Amino acid sequence: MAHYNLIYDFKHTLVGESRLLNDKGNKQTITLRLSSQEIGSGGRNDTFVVQLQAQVQRMWFTVKTASFPRNGMKEVKWTGMAGTSYRLRMEKSTDDVRVIGVGVLHN
């Protein structure tokens, strides 16, 4: 079982590091829990999107997406996931508001 602690700080898009999640072959559950805080005001939205991207032959493909609050905590679980390398891509509107936070990604 892999367990990765996350720290993030972004204004528009953030692409994370590659993380190997290879437990139980193609039947693993990947859990992502994020606790975020918005820095600034005037945001166009109360949420941001996280894409779970899988690596296939040196290319990255979005396999799952979830919406997370800019202020607060949320956990999502993705089941039936293949054992491979994954990364997170976080994206929000271009409204000059920073989102910072901590989280954990594990299988």
Side-chain angles (χ1 to χ4, degrees):
M1 185 165 131
H3 183 97
Y4 299 101
N5 293 317
L6 310 170
I7 299 173
Y8 52 95
D9 182 341
F10 68 105
K11 279 192 173 183
H12 181 256
T13 303
L14 176 67
V15 178
E17 295 179 34
S18 173
R19 315 271 188 191
L20 180 60
L21 298 169
N22 194 15
D23 187 35
K24 299 178 186 168
N26 292 328
K27 298 187 182 201
Q28 67 182 335
T29 297
I30 296 175
T31 302
L32 175 63
R33 183 175 46 241
L34 300 178
S35 179
S36 305
Q37 179 182 356
E38 189 175 58
I39 305 297
S41 61
R44 293 185 191 147
N45 204 328
D46 293 333
T47 61
F48 63 96
V49 173
V50 175
Q51 299 172 357
L52 180 68
Q53 296 184 327
Q55 187 175 29
V56 179
Q57 297 180 353
R58 296 189 206 152
M59 298 192 59
W60 292 96
F61 297 93
T62 299
V63 293
K64 298 290 182 177
T65 61
S67 178
F68 283 83
R70 289 188 183 190
N71 289 296
M73 184 171 56
K74 181 177 176 180
E75 179 177 282
V76 296
K77 292 181 185 242
W78 294 300
T79 60
M81 303 301 295
T84 189
S85 292
Y86 290 93
R87 71 180 184 187
L88 299 175
R89 184 177 189 276
M90 300 178 179
E91 187 173 296
K92 59 175 257 336
S93 59
T94 55
D95 55 12
D96 284 332
V97 175
R98 284 175 55 205
V99 173
I100 63 170
V102 295
V104 64
L105 177 70
H106 66 87
N107 60 352

